[in-house]
Structures are given as C-alpha cells and as structure tokens.
Amino acid sequence: MNIKVERVSKTGQLPDESRLGFGRIFTDHMFNMDYTPESGWHNARIEPYSPIAMDPATMVLHYGQAIFEGLKAYRGGNGQILLFRPERNVARLNRSARIVCIPEMDEAFVLESIKRLVAVEADWVPGAPETSLYVRPTVIAMDPFLGVRPSHSYRFFIILSPVGAYYPEGFNPVKIWVTDKYVRAVRGGLGEAKTPANYAASLYGAEVAKKAGYTQVLWLDAVKQQYVEEVGTMNIFFVIDGKIVTPPLEGSILPGITRDSVLTLAKHWNLPTDERLISIDEVMKAHRDGSLQEMFGTGTAAVISPVSHLAWRDEVITVGDGGVGPMANRFYTAITDIQYGRVEDPFGWIVPVKLDQ
Ligand SMILES: *Cc1c(COP(=O)(O)O)cnc(C)c1O
C-alpha cells in the first residue's frame, strides 16, 4: 500500500527542549488509515495534524473499543534517529486488536508507517539528554451505532509528541500504595491488551492512593488479592536475595517490552531471574528478613522507576535504603545507552529511521 503525504504549509517549532514535559505537545503531521469490511485497511496517508470529526454515536465513545501503543524515537549521538524494538510494539498492537475484536493490520506496513511519519517529523526529535519523540499508534471503532457488537469500520492513527527527560534531576524513587480493595484486571479479561478500559479501571484506585500521599498503586491479582501484578501502568520487578523476580504473564498483566528487555539483559549478564507468582505477604516477609533488596517498575516512559516505600495495610516499609539500588541503576543505564546508540546493541533491538524514506 502506498502512503500519500500531504505536508503542512507552515511547520511548527520545536519548543524549548528543557521544558517539554510529557504528552502535551504534538507535531505538525499525523498518520491516518481507515478500515471497512469492503476495502480492508486502506487510504494510508500522512497529513496535517487535525481533530477527528465524529458522529456523537461513534462506537468508540460508547463502548470503548480501542487499542493503542507507546514507543519512542531517540536522537543518537551522530544525529541519527533510532527506534527501540518497534516490531514488538507492532506485534502487541495486533495482539491487543485480537482481544477486542479489531481487524489486524499488516505488521511490516505499520512499522513502515511509523518510520515514514517519524522521518517526515525528523526535526521534532529533540536532542537534549534523555529527551525523545513519543509515538502513539491508536485504533478506534468508527461505526455511528448504538448497540453492543464489534464495529465494522475503524480508524488507525499515529500521533507524535516530543517528550522531556523523565528524570531531569536524576532518579526519583516513588512511594507505592498496595490495594486489596481495587483491582485493575482479571485473567480472561483485558489486562494483557493495551486498551483504554484498563486505564479507566485504574483511575479510582490511583486517586485514592494519591490522596493518601502515594504516587502509584501496586495492583494485586483480582481473584485472591494476594499476588503482585503491576505497579501503576508499569510492570514490576523485585530483587530478592540477588535474584530478579517478576510475575509471569498469565493473562492479566500487560506484556511490557521494557520488562522483556530487563529479563533479556539479566540473562545476558548471567544474573538469576525468576518469572513466578509473588505474593504481597512474601514481599513483606522478604523485607522483614532483610532479603528484599530492590523493587522497581518498568515501562517505556520512565524505563526504570525505583520504589522507595510500600504501604500495605498498617505498615509502611522502606525498600532497601529508600534510594536507587544498583540493579535499577544498571538496567536503566544499559537500556538507555542502547536506546540512544551510546553503546553497541548486541541484541538487534535498534531500528534506525532513514530520513529519505
Ligand atoms: C504499556 C504498559 C506497560 C509497559 O510496557 P512497555 O512496553 O514496557 O512500555 C506495563 N503495564 C501496562 C498496564 C501498560 O499499559
């Protein structure tokens, strides 16, 4: 399929790179493509960024049939633009599509579309340390119809947002609130899909945590409220007695690409890893006997987010010395060094964007 390109007449300006924040600024162009049962996915185009006009009955607004992805384009030292494992995001987009009955897309074509759009907006990829261009592919149900069934028509779009350093002043460990009252996802549901419903489900618990003075919620499994699943919108890791432990992907946890990268690096470094169920009681016990060394979240936005405190029932514990552990540091440095092309990439994770494509 051909991608038509319609350029804006006057391009915007990249704002001050020291004050980008996250998700507030969008670039000049977006990618759009439509789906109908008759034509399949068609009319791929890059055009000026603009609002999407919708019938108020558009199904996505009523029934939430939508999926998205999140990845970043990084400015390498030599000015090159680099993507990190983008084929994983594209494969996950299709996996999410299957879960909420959205027609799948050709993965090579979606990757090509991301590259083309990033190439068109190359000037928007910031160059200051730890800044990047966030890429947000999204698919939404477009039938103007009231009634619960999968939509027949869809829109796929990609928007781009230059984002600042997540840790402008160095790592900032977070305080976490464990809840057995609210749940994010249950096996057999939508937990392993990147779909808006999961985020709607997480809002109330997150607000309660914020009011209590905590940054994020630690989600427990929805059946027994016992096993640790995710932290906020990140995957969760523990370092217990030198071993790197994370819950297994069994249906209610989002299969994070950063999670996979941490596990791959740990194995590459011959560190012991364990994907297994871990209960909140075990975490508290490991704290009491001194074997809980570190705890951190993983995700594209922050890469690694160290946890300093954990509140569970009447207890608040300090993880390690409440600072940033050596493992969190090591993974953060290794992953960001690969993302920004500062070191050799032994895993084939980096995909450069050619500017003349
Ligand atoms: C996106 C996401 C993650 C992290 O995935 P990455 O591919 O590492 O960015 C983890 N949990 C949830 C719920 C997510 O939405």
Side-chain angles (χ1 to χ4, degrees):
M1 200 188 331
N2 212 5
I3 303 175
K4 279 180 305 208
V5 181
E6 181 203 332
R7 287 179 188 265
V8 293
S9 45
K10 187 173 179 300
T11 54
Q13 245 201 332
L14 182 65
D16 181 348
E17 292 193 3
S18 65
R19 355 179 59 205
L20 289 171
F22 193 94
R24 293 183 288 111
I25 302 156
F26 300 95
T27 67
D28 294 321
H29 299 85
M30 68 189 294
F31 175 91
N32 280 302
M33 176 162 77
D34 298 304
Y35 180 91
T36 58
E38 308 77 56
S39 308
W41 286 109
H42 68 284
N43 195 15
R45 62 221 186 257
I46 289 170
E47 53 196 355
Y49 186 97
S50 69
I52 300 173
M54 281 188 196
D55 190 295
T58 301
M59 289 185 81
V60 66
L61 302 175
H62 301 270
Y63 310 112
Q65 195 192 8
I67 52 173
F68 66 91
E69 267 304 323
L71 65 156
K72 286 173 168 176
Y74 307 86
R75 178 75 69 182
N78 52 5
Q80 259 202 319
I81 296 173
L82 311 171
L83 298 171
F84 181 71
R85 312 186 77 183
E87 69 289 344
R88 288 284 184 132
N89 294 92
V90 172
R92 191 170 64 188
L93 186 68
N94 261 347
R95 188 154 173 239
S96 299
R98 287 193 290 277
I99 294 172
V100 295
C101 302
I102 288 175
E104 288 177 49
M105 288 175 284
D106 182 281
E107 292 179 14
F109 184 73
V110 173
L111 183 51
E112 189 57 33
S113 308
I114 292 170
K115 289 181 180 171
R116 284 288 294 279
L117 181 63
V118 170
V120 164
E121 301 289 49
D123 290 347
W124 286 87
V125 182
E130 316 296 300
T131 61
S132 58
L133 185 67
Y134 186 75
V135 181
R136 168 53 61 88
T138 307
V139 186
I140 54 174
M142 287 300 279
D143 283 9
F145 176 74
L146 295 185
V148 178
R149 59 155 172 78
S151 179
H152 300 314
S153 60
Y154 297 88
R155 166 72 62 88
F156 172 53
F157 63 86
I158 308 170
I159 55 176
L160 306 176
S161 174
V163 299
Y166 198 89
Y167 298 112
E169 281 133 29
F171 267 131
N172 182 21
V174 293
K175 293 169 72 181
I176 298 298
W177 186 75
V178 188
T179 177
D180 59 355
K181 183 159 181 197
Y182 308 105
V183 297
R184 187 193 85 94
V186 63
R187 223 192 286 179
L190 300 175
E192 61 184 2
K194 242 176 153 64
T195 185
N198 287 328
Y199 305 86
S202 74
L203 294 177
Y204 193 85
E207 284 301 297
V208 173
K210 281 207 184 86
K211 285 206 183 88
Y214 293 87
T215 314
Q216 294 279 5
V217 175
L218 184 77
W219 302 103
L220 301 179
D221 76 278
V223 179
K224 296 185 170 158
Q225 279 100 60
Q226 197 179 335
Y227 296 103
V228 172
E229 298 221 318
E230 296 207 57
V231 58
T233 57
M234 287 182 286
N235 295 115
I236 182 80
F237 279 84
F238 301 88
V239 182
I240 298 176
D241 218 3
K243 196 177 243 189
I244 292 146
V245 182
T246 194
L249 302 175
E250 291 182 341
S252 54
I253 292 177
L254 199 286
I257 294 159
T258 319
R259 175 188 181 279
D260 184 79
S261 305
V262 164
L263 287 171
T264 304
L265 278 167
K267 286 167 195 162
H268 184 70
W269 294 334
N270 290 319
L271 299 174
T273 61
D274 212 352
E275 289 179 72
R276 62 168 174 83
L277 293 178
I278 174 161
S279 69
I280 186 66
D281 292 339
E282 181 187 340
V283 173
M284 299 307 279
K285 184 171 163 291
H287 168 73
R288 281 193 296 276
D289 71 21
S291 59
L292 176 64
Q293 296 160 307
E294 295 185 40
M295 186 175 161
F296 53 86
T298 66
T300 295
V303 186
I304 301 289
S305 179
V307 173
S308 62
H309 296 87
L310 199 65
W312 168 236
R313 302 210 163 128
D314 303 329
E315 236 181 307
V316 182
I317 66 167
T318 304
V319 181
D321 61 5
V324 180
M327 287 291 183
N329 240 323
R330 190 174 181 195
F331 286 120
Y332 180 82
T333 304
I335 292 173
T336 52
D337 278 352
I338 292 175
Q339 288 170 334
Y340 287 91
R342 292 190 286 252
V343 297
E344 273 299 299
D345 161 23
F347 308 105
W349 284 345
I350 288 301
V351 176
V353 175
K354 286 199 223 80
L355 292 185
D356 55 1
Q357 58 189 334

